[in-house]
Amino acid sequence: MPKVMLIEDNPTMVSLLTTLLTLEGFSVKTPSNHRVEAVINTILMERPEIALVDVNLRTINGLDLVREIRREPEIKDTQILMCSGSNLKQQCIQAGADGFILKPFMPDELIKLIHTTIQIKNNIKIKEND
């Protein structure tokens, strides 16, 4: 069961996405605190296959968070999808995200993007081990 780290501070979105992802067979983890150090520690502890990160978090900027994740040697290869209500795809990719999805998105679109991103990561690992 692939693990998704959901980094979103809107309780309604957390609830909806947790339900959707759980129904699709994912294990969903959410950090209880959205400070950079706390999120990084949670990722270090949980080791998700992918993190879904909102750009606009109340306590931190999602772009800054992604940059910090990429600086951490043990978790820098965590797949990261970012989301926002504004088209910030270029900024997200430049910050280190592996993908971007514009809100509002259709559930099927998100699930497909998550599967694709995880598959790309798995294919890279297989090639590295050859």
Side-chain angles (χ1 to χ4, degrees):
M1 174 180 299
K3 191 181 297 183
V4 176
M5 178 70 58
L6 182 56
I7 305 168
E8 165 70 59
D9 57 7
N10 178 315
T12 302
M13 281 299 290
V14 169
S15 178
L16 291 171
L17 288 171
T18 299
T19 300
L20 170 67
L21 294 169
T22 301
L23 288 171
E24 290 293 328
F26 293 98
S27 169
V28 180
K29 301 295 179 183
T30 56
S32 57
N33 181 325
H34 289 113
R35 289 191 321 261
V36 172
E37 303 82 23
V39 172
I40 287 175
N41 286 335
T42 304
I43 293 172
L44 281 164
M45 187 175 60
E46 294 291 342
R47 302 294 177 153
E49 278 76 19
I50 191 164
L52 181 59
V53 181
D54 188 7
V55 172
N56 300 306
L57 299 164
R58 282 183 218 118
T59 55
I60 57 172
N61 179 304
L63 296 169
D64 292 338
L65 174 61
V66 170
R67 289 183 193 102
E68 289 299 318
I69 292 169
R70 294 299 184 223
R71 287 186 189 110
E72 288 291 325
E74 290 184 58
I75 59 171
K76 68 181 174 104
D77 294 330
T78 302
Q79 296 296 101
I80 299 173
L81 290 179
M82 296 192 77
C83 57
S84 176
S86 301
N87 191 348
L88 300 173
K89 182 177 183 175
Q90 191 64 33
Q91 294 93 320
C92 291
I93 300 301
Q94 288 174 344
D98 297 292
F100 175 83
I101 189 164
L102 183 63
K103 291 179 180 179
F105 46 78
M106 296 301 293
D108 289 346
E109 180 184 9
L110 175 63
I111 298 302
K112 182 178 177 183
L113 187 56
I114 289 172
H115 281 294
T116 300
T117 305
I118 291 172
Q119 184 63 40
I120 289 168
K121 177 182 177 182
N122 289 338
N123 287 340
I124 290 170
K125 280 185 176 179
I126 290 169
K127 287 179 183 177
E128 288 174 351
N129 292 331
D130 283 346

